[in-house]
C-alpha cells in the first residue's frame, strides 16, 4: 500500500488537496470527484496537481485535470 499526497503549487506555496492510499500505480490519477473537491478547497480549478509517492514528486499533465480524460 502506497501513501499518496496530492497537492498543488500556487503563490509559492504547496497546498495539500488530498491524501490517499493505493496498491496500483495506475489508480493514482485524480477522479472527477477529486477535481470537484480540489475546486471546493481552492475556490477555483487547480492550475497544477502533483502527487508525492515514496518521497518522489510527480506532476500530472493538464490532460489529467480534465474530468472527461479517457485512457483508451
Amino acid at each position: 500500500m502506497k501513501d499518496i499526497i496530492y497537492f498543488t503549487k500556487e503563490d509559492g506555496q504547496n497546498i495539500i488537496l488530498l491524501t490517499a492510499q493505493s496498491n496500483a500505480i495506475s489508480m493514482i490519477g485524480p477522479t472527477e470527484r477529486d477535481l470537484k473537491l480540489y475546486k471546493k478547497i481552492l475556490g477555483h480549478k487547480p492550475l497544477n496537481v502533483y502527487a508525492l509517492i515514496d518521497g518522489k514528486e510527480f506532476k500530472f499533465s493538464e490532460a489529467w485535470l480534465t474530468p472527461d480524460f479517457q485512457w483508451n
Side-chain angles (χ1 to χ4, degrees):
M1 194 65 91
K2 300 283 185 190
D3 291 324
I4 304 168
I5 300 171
Y6 296 96
F7 63 99
T8 186
K9 295 182 178 186
E10 296 189 13
D11 300 326
Q13 298 180 43
N14 291 346
I15 302 169
I16 294 176
L17 299 170
L18 182 70
T19 60
Q21 291 186 330
S22 180
N23 283 332
I25 196 73
S26 64
M27 300 301 292
I28 67 165
T31 64
E32 185 174 352
R33 188 183 84 196
D34 295 339
L35 293 173
K36 287 179 183 178
L37 177 62
Y38 300 166
K39 188 174 180 180
K40 185 176 180 179
I41 291 168
L42 297 170
H44 58 83
K45 180 182 172 190
L47 304 175
N48 53 61
V49 175
Y50 295 80
L52 184 66
I53 306 168
D54 288 338
K56 295 184 177 104
E57 187 177 290
F58 299 91
K59 181 177 182 181
F60 292 103
S61 70
E62 286 188 37
W64 280 45
L65 302 180
T66 305
D68 59 351
F69 178 71
Q70 300 291 321
W71 280 103
N72 44 9

